[in-house]
């Protein structure tokens, strides 16, 4: 639910776990990396009132494009902090995410927000994460994965037991990379026969927090809803309310930080997927 709200551009607030009698739900929410604010219940009430009382009129931000130097100053702050250049992003996308952060913080004036970013590295990082929208799912768009499974079977046969190399650019929290690993494992004959000599998946992103989630390979139980039952049984385990990727699948999936616009590309690859980047 928190991830869906993030994708739709909403504001997410989790309870400060120190104030919670049972902290399972707020901790799980924060661990998604998609929570804007962590507050006590009392603070939540005060903040909600502020958000609801503020008129949802973003005319000032819509006119920023008429004065590009104003927006470019904020993008320069982002570039200096993150080494990521957002100047070629769609204006509507950037403005929408800035709006979101301003509403979450209760800041009404754009110049005030820019000043806040000058003095708060934490906020620059939060805006950076917002612009990346590091959200994905297992087997997203199932029919496309069914078609891809057929293509991978053909690819595996053509490789004749030579190593298959796949690059998942913009892997976010890793679900797509693991989904591809499962399709290759199926094409090779199952989890028992896969090893690094037959398949290597390079999964890259610029969001370190998302990569940490991906490397752990542990997801909320709700992730099971996206996984076909036959794969769930063979390639995952459920422990303590979490879905855990099988170690054999993790062993062939290498996650690393990589900026596709600045860093050298991976070479000699048989398949590249850019779905999350293009979305």
């Amino acid at each position: 639910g928190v991830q869906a709200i993030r994708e739709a551009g909403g504001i997410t607030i989790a309870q400060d776990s120190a104030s919670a009698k049972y902290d399972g739900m707020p901790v799980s929410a924060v661990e998604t990396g998609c929570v804007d604010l962590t507050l006590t219940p009392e603070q939540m009430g005060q903040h909600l009132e502020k958000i609801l009382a503020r008129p949802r009129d973003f005319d000032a931000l819509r006119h920023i494009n008429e004065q590009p130097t104003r927006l470019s100053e904020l993008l320069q702050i982002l570039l200096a902090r993150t080494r990521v250049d957002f100047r070629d992003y769609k204006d509507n996308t950037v403005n929408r995410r800035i709006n979101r952060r301003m509403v979450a913080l209760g800041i009404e004036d754009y110049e005030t927000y820019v000043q806040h970013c000058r003095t708060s590295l934490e906020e620059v990082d939060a805006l950076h994460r917002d612009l990346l929208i590091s959200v994905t799912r297992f087997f997203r768009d199932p029919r496309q994965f069914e078609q891809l499974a057929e293509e991978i079977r053909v690819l595996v046969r053509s490789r004749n037991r030579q190593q298959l190399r796949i690059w998942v650019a913009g892997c976010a929290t890793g679900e797509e990379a693991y989904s591809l690993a499962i399709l290759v494992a199926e094409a090779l004959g199952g989890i028992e026969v896969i090893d690094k000599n037959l398949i290597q998946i390079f999964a890259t992103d610029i969001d370190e927090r998302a990569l940490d989630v991906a490397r752990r390979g542990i997801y909320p139980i709700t992730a099971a809803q996206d996984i076909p039952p036959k794969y769930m049984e063979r390639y995952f385990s459920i422990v303590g309310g979490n879905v855990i990727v099988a170690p054999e699948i993790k062993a062939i999936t290498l996650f690393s930080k990589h900026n596709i616009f600045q860093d050298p590309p991976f070479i000699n690859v048989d398949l590249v997927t850019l779905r999350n980047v293009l979305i």
Side-chain angles (χ1 to χ4, degrees):
V2 171
Q3 290 178 327
I5 291 168
R6 161 60 64 87
E7 284 187 285
I11 309 288
T12 54
I13 305 175
Q15 183 177 0
D16 180 359
S17 60
S19 70
K21 185 174 182 181
Y22 304 105
D23 64 1
M25 191 177 290
V27 167
S28 293
V30 171
E31 284 179 351
T32 66
C34 295
V35 167
D36 294 299
L37 297 163
T38 305
L39 305 169
T40 66
E42 188 176 41
Q43 291 169 327
M44 280 187 200
Q46 295 164 355
H47 217 84
L48 281 172
E49 188 176 9
K50 239 191 305 187
I51 290 171
L52 294 171
R54 181 185 170 191
R56 300 302 292 264
D57 179 5
F58 299 126
D59 279 344
L61 266 166
R62 290 194 194 97
H63 294 313
I64 283 174
N65 294 331
E66 298 165 12
Q67 305 174 55
T69 52
R70 293 179 68 199
L71 187 56
S72 63
E73 185 177 4
L74 182 55
L75 298 184
Q76 190 62 43
I77 293 170
L78 276 164
L79 176 61
R81 170 68 174 165
T82 67
R83 290 184 61 245
V84 180
D85 190 348
F86 290 100
R87 287 175 294 187
D88 288 328
Y89 268 49
K90 289 181 181 178
D91 293 334
N92 286 344
T93 299
V94 176
N95 284 337
R96 192 163 58 244
R97 295 291 148 178
I98 294 171
N99 288 341
R100 233 179 62 77
R101 290 305 308 159
M102 287 173 62
V103 172
L105 296 172
I107 295 175
E108 297 190 17
D109 178 67
Y110 171 72
E111 293 295 350
T112 303
Y113 181 69
V114 173
Q115 184 58 40
H116 178 61
C117 287
R118 287 196 194 99
T119 57
S120 172
L121 295 179
E122 187 178 290
E123 178 54 29
V124 177
D125 291 341
L127 178 59
H128 178 227
R129 288 194 300 272
D130 248 24
L131 286 163
L132 299 180
I133 318 178
S134 295
V135 174
T136 186
R137 294 193 300 276
F138 286 103
F139 300 97
R140 191 180 202 170
D141 307 315
R143 290 182 63 185
Q144 292 183 20
F145 269 93
E146 289 170 14
Q147 179 63 38
L148 185 57
E150 180 56 38
E151 298 291 341
I152 285 177
R153 283 192 286 271
V154 173
L155 191 57
V156 166
R157 285 196 295 269
S158 70
R159 297 295 291 168
N160 193 26
R161 305 295 287 181
Q162 293 180 342
Q163 189 187 57
L164 190 70
R165 290 161 59 90
I166 295 175
W167 179 17
V168 182
C171 67
T173 45
E175 289 93 329
E176 181 171 300
Y178 288 131
S179 299
L180 280 168
I182 288 167
L183 294 187
V184 177
E186 287 286 292
L188 287 169
I191 198 169
E192 302 83 5
V193 299
I194 59 172
D195 62 47
K196 289 183 180 179
N197 294 321
L198 294 176
I199 171 66
Q200 182 68 74
I201 295 179
F202 306 100
T204 65
D205 205 283
I206 53 177
D207 188 340
E208 286 278 21
R209 289 179 61 168
L211 288 169
D212 286 342
V213 173
R215 291 185 186 107
R216 287 197 297 270
I218 301 174
Y219 300 93
I221 191 65
T222 50
Q225 298 170 10
D226 299 321
I227 303 168
K230 60 181 179 180
Y231 298 151
M232 187 71 210
E233 184 180 340
R234 298 174 199 161
Y235 298 100
F236 299 89
S237 58
I238 296 178
V239 179
N242 291 314
V243 173
I244 301 177
V245 178
E248 293 89 344
I249 293 297
K250 289 176 66 177
I252 60 171
T253 312
L254 177 66
F255 293 97
S256 61
K257 186 175 182 180
H258 180 276
N259 186 326
I260 60 173
F261 294 106
Q262 295 173 354
D263 299 325
F266 289 80
I267 59 172
N268 299 325
V269 292
D270 301 284
L271 172 66
V272 181
T273 170
L274 294 158
R275 278 162 41 99
N276 284 341
V277 173
L278 295 176
I279 288 171

